[in-house]
Amino acid sequence: MSVHRLNHSFTAGELSPLMHARKDFDRYKNGCSVLQNMVCATQGPAVRRPGTMYIHNLVDLGMDIADPQVREIPFIFNELQAYAMIFFMHTDGFARMVLGDGDTLVMGGGSTHTYDSSVKIPYLGPSEDHAFYYPADTVNTVSVIHTDISTTPDTDTTLVLSAGSDGYTIAYSGNTCTVTTIGAPALEDGDYLTIALNMTTTAILTTEVVTLVMPADFSIEDMDWAQSADEMHLAQSGYVPTIIVRYDDDIWKLETKGFIDRPSDWSDVYGWPETVTFHQQRILYGANTLRRQTIWGSEAGNFNGFTAGTGASDAFTFTLDSGTQNKIQWMLSSKTLHIGTLGDEWTVTGNNQAALTPENILAQRQTKNGSEAITPLLVGSTTLFIERHGRVINEFVYDYTYDNFKTSDLSVLSPHITEHYSITDWSYQKTPDSIIWAVRSDGILLGLTYQRQHKVVGWHRHITDGDFKAVTVIPGASREDEVWVVVKRTLGGVVGYFVEKLTEMFKGLEAVDGKFLDNHIVYDGAASSALSGFDIYANNSISIIADGTVHADVVVNTSGEIELDNE
């Protein structure tokens, strides 16, 4: 008589064939030979993953399928205001950025919008009346110099005093801005005036979708990013650091940063910083073509100021002394600053865990794994990074026993998942089940349910009628984080790059709530057997779930209409 063992839990996920018959291993009994289009939940069961909702086809916005670069990153102002930033190459050779929010791309009305931004202008002269030159080639990042150069500035710009600057008036005329003190304390060397710059702009629209046109030679694949409030800071070797600024839901602008005392190592010749992060009230840039292991930190509280000094709030520069020239691949702010290079991993802090200052920097090599240039994830207090070659996800955690950081391979029981491929993109979904979503180089979407404190580390694979190309996660309007993906699909012989979003996990309350079809559209209206609006599926056979039951597949006609068997 044969005996069949009942599996009560699948928290180990899909296990490697090398684990077959390993009944002596504790996690063997919680694993699967294949776990496909299923998610292992923290509580133990394996549940069907939700389908994906159709949002938009990037080809309709001019995406160049001959150069199909595409990438997604999250823009999270707070848990209630978040967007999926989607970058792609346009047929005109320039990169574009569009925004996903809710169940659609962010739409603009094309109306003008006035916004304010303040800039600190240094005092540069001994008299009470001081002339400052405002260059015309900047938009919202002002670089002010004390000069009488005769160049006409932007005549649509108006400079006014910001709140709190009583005692000073500003007169704007021709090519100069004159600051006059009126009963205010005399200015001294080192003092600053804060001036507000009022601008009026119109959102750049493409088919009514808010779209930013990136600079020439902007690289989607090589950019690194770090966010501070309404500003997304971008860094890459071939272009001066830039910022994408949100002024309103449908008003976004791309701006070049205006640095004070920019490091002399940054230029078109030496290269621009390739990595960026925020740490202890400073913006940190890392690695360029000339200085592969150098990090530049701004002044504390002033992300544009790079004036070096010995004071606690001054800017600083330091270089990792590794004995090699393995380039810095990523930086992450945790309790300490974590750094990954091509060959090893580091922590940087002040002595005795103090804050970083120009006179107090302690860089220590912790492990020697090497990393891919993919932004790491911070899950709880654990840093996760992708090891060099893209095949292994490593935990980077502190070990109290050895008073040192250590790494642990999260794919050691499932090496077949990435054995012949690499991870090209990933993001972390905190709710409802703590899942790391990763795009594999062959277009498969990988999931890793990760709850280390509950001994849940389980891999699962997800396939669709197409290839996954990018993924990001943002807080959702409901009680789940939203997973946004870009999928390459061929419909009716035509290639498209579809922005889609995973629907919420099925709670098993009513069958009508189950949405398990990929790239789907939802019809919610009066009962009818004749439906329209399915243009994206024209001349294709589609699957249908109607009122919670499976309907026979139907073919969509050239007008995007279908006929059901019943209403």
Side-chain angles (χ1 to χ4, degrees):
M1 180 181 69
S2 61
V3 177
H4 299 279
R5 179 171 57 87
L6 176 64
N7 271 28
H8 295 279
S9 172
F10 300 93
T11 54
E14 182 174 319
L15 300 179
S16 167
L18 297 175
M19 292 294 296
H20 285 183
R22 284 294 310 275
K23 297 181 180 180
D24 60 314
F25 194 74
D26 184 57
R27 294 187 63 195
Y28 174 79
K29 64 179 181 293
N30 294 333
C32 301
S33 174
V34 176
L35 190 58
Q36 185 170 287
N37 285 340
M38 304 284 285
V39 173
C40 51
T42 304
Q43 295 76 13
V47 298
R48 177 184 291 184
R49 76 154 169 90
T52 63
M53 176 186 296
Y54 165 79
I55 303 294
H56 210 89
N57 186 356
L58 294 178
V59 175
D60 293 340
L61 298 179
M63 179 176 178
D64 185 3
I65 61 174
D67 185 18
Q69 297 182 48
V70 63
R71 190 170 176 188
E72 293 183 296
I73 63 175
F75 186 101
I76 305 172
F77 181 77
N78 57 36
E79 295 299 302
L80 301 178
Q81 300 177 64
Y83 310 83
M85 306 182 86
I86 305 160
F87 296 82
F88 63 94
M89 288 302 299
H90 195 272
T91 53
D92 63 8
F94 287 81
R96 296 288 197 277
M97 184 214 73
V98 294
L99 300 154
D101 180 34
D103 294 334
T104 185
L105 297 187
V106 176
M107 310 300 283
S111 59
T112 58
H113 179 81
T114 300
Y115 57 89
D116 298 325
S117 181
S118 63
V119 59
K120 296 173 73 174
I121 298 180
Y123 166 79
L124 296 172
S127 65
E128 290 189 349
D129 293 342
H130 313 293
F132 297 87
Y133 168 60
Y134 171 64
D137 59 350
T138 59
V139 179
N140 195 40
T141 302
V142 182
S143 177
V144 180
I145 58 177
H146 186 257
T147 181
D148 290 326
I149 295 177
S150 180
T151 302
T152 303
D154 182 356
T155 56
D156 294 330
T157 301
T158 303
L159 293 174
V160 297
L161 277 176
S162 64
S165 298
D166 293 339
Y168 301 97
T169 61
I170 292 180
Y172 178 77
S173 175
N175 66 315
T176 61
C177 171
T178 303
V179 181
T180 306
T181 63
I182 302 177
L187 295 175
E188 298 178 355
D189 288 344
D191 286 348
Y192 285 88
L193 291 176
T194 300
I195 294 179
L197 175 64
N198 292 339
M199 297 287 292
T200 300
T201 186
T202 302
I204 303 172
L205 304 178
T206 301
T207 62
E208 297 304 312
V209 175
V210 174
T211 306
L212 282 183
V213 180
M214 309 306 288
D217 301 324
F218 183 87
S219 173
I220 294 175
E221 296 178 342
D222 295 336
M223 73 175 182
D224 193 23
W225 54 273
Q227 185 185 344
S228 174
D230 268 323
E231 298 180 344
M232 179 64 74
H233 295 247
L234 305 178
Q236 57 183 272
S237 61
Y239 201 81
V240 61
T242 55
I243 317 173
I244 295 175
V245 184
R246 183 189 76 148
Y247 294 99
D248 206 339
D249 287 340
D250 60 349
I251 304 294
W252 300 68
K253 286 191 71 68
L254 180 71
E255 301 171 0
T256 300
K257 292 200 64 171
F259 294 108
I260 301 172
D261 289 337
R262 189 189 76 202
S264 59
D265 293 334
W266 299 358
S267 69
D268 291 335
V269 176
Y270 298 144
W272 298 94
E274 300 179 25
T275 62
V276 60
T277 193
F278 289 93
H279 185 66
Q280 295 179 348
Q281 305 305 309
R282 304 175 188 264
I283 189 170
L284 305 182
Y285 290 99
N288 67 352
T289 305
L290 179 67
R291 308 292 185 191
R292 298 168 64 85
Q293 293 195 312
T294 296
I295 292 173
W296 299 269
S298 72
E299 300 169 16
N302 181 12
F303 300 151
N304 288 340
F306 281 82
T307 304
T310 58
S313 62
D314 289 337
F316 57 74
T317 301
F318 67 91
T319 300
L320 303 177
D321 186 13
S322 66
T324 66
Q325 282 298 302
N326 287 315
K327 185 172 68 70
I328 293 172
Q329 300 282 68
W330 54 261
M331 300 183 295
L332 183 79
S333 177
S334 186
K335 184 177 181 180
T336 61
L337 177 65
H338 295 174
I339 299 174
T341 76
L342 272 171
D344 30 41
E345 292 74 50
W346 297 69
T347 59
V348 181
T349 185
N351 286 297
N352 300 318
Q353 300 298 312
L356 291 179
T357 69
E359 299 289 298
N360 188 21
I361 297 175
L362 177 63
Q364 295 178 300
R365 178 164 41 203
Q366 301 289 342
T367 54
K368 289 183 65 65
N369 294 279
S371 303
E372 284 285 275
I374 298 177
T375 304
L377 302 178
L378 185 62
V379 180
S381 60
T382 301
T383 296
L384 303 180
F385 68 92
I386 299 175
E387 195 172 353
R388 192 160 53 97
H389 307 308
R391 291 175 49 184
V392 172
I393 292 180
N394 271 324
E395 294 176 310
F396 188 61
V397 294
Y398 182 74
D399 189 327
Y400 290 92
T401 303
Y402 298 98
D403 189 24
N404 198 15
F405 279 78
K406 67 177 184 180
T407 57
S408 177
D409 181 1
L410 293 181
S411 55
V412 67
L413 301 183
S414 309
H416 68 297
I417 290 287
T418 55
E419 184 175 11
H420 302 293
Y421 310 97
S422 59
I423 292 174
T424 59
D425 194 14
W426 67 345
S427 197
Y428 173 62
Q429 182 186 23
K430 181 167 58 177
T431 57
D433 272 315
S434 184
I435 298 175
I436 297 164
W437 297 98
V439 175
R440 206 169 67 176
S441 55
D442 64 340
I444 299 296
L445 182 67
L446 304 178
L448 173 63
T449 304
Y450 178 75
Q451 284 273 18
R452 174 62 82 181
Q453 66 271 36
H454 298 299
K455 300 181 180 180
V456 179
V457 180
W459 287 92
H460 29 97
R461 290 180 294 163
H462 304 273
I463 63 172
T464 187
D465 187 15
D467 296 328
F468 290 94
K469 294 297 182 181
V471 63
T472 195
V473 176
I474 60 175
S478 63
R479 303 180 66 180
E480 292 187 12
D481 291 339
E482 297 178 355
V483 181
W484 288 69
V485 294
V486 175
V487 186
K488 177 185 177 183
R489 301 184 185 277
T490 301
L491 298 181
V494 179
V495 175
Y497 282 78
F498 294 88
V499 178
E500 303 171 22
K501 187 181 78 170
L502 264 68
T503 55
E504 293 186 6
M505 294 293 292
F506 180 57
K507 304 301 190 300
L509 300 179
E510 295 185 25
V512 71
D513 295 328
K515 299 181 179 67
F516 298 109
L517 302 178
D518 283 344
N519 197 35
H520 69 251
I521 290 176
V522 176
Y523 171 80
D524 186 5
S528 175
S529 60
L531 303 177
S532 60
F534 304 99
D535 303 72
I536 65 167
Y537 312 127
N539 301 318
N540 284 268
S541 175
I542 63 172
S543 299
I544 296 174
I545 298 178
D547 295 333
T549 62
V550 177
H551 185 284
D553 291 357
V554 300
V555 175
V556 183
N557 66 24
T558 55
S559 301
E561 301 168 337
I562 61 174
E563 185 71 31
L564 303 181
D565 294 339
N566 53 284
E567 292 187 341

